Amino acid sequence: MNIAKNMEYIFLAAVAVISATGFATAATPLKHSAPAAVVAKAETKAMPVVTVTAKRLTAAEKAAL
């Protein structure tokens, strides 16, 4: 069986199954309410900042490397 020839039918069958599942489950009511959201607050500390300082290389020094 050549799957490449039948790929359109496989795709349409998958879409049909997904659509049927979506319609079947769309009308079902929720049995329980969603749990309350848990809010966690992180400690606010100063963000560490890294500063890199160096002298620039001259053209002669770049050529030597």
Side-chain angles (χ1 to χ4, degrees):
M1 179 181 216
N2 190 357
I3 294 178
K5 288 183 179 179
N6 297 320
M7 192 58 72
E8 182 180 1
Y9 298 113
I10 294 170
F11 174 75
L12 291 175
V15 168
V17 168
I18 291 170
S19 297
T21 304
F23 283 120
T25 58
T28 57
L30 292 175
K31 295 181 181 179
H32 56 82
S33 62
V38 177
V39 178
K41 187 173 181 181
E43 293 180 25
T44 56
K45 294 184 179 179
M47 180 181 291
V49 177
V50 177
T51 305
V52 178
T53 58
K55 70 172 199 157
R56 291 191 165 258
L57 297 175
T58 63
E61 291 173 333
K62 286 182 186 177
L65 295 176

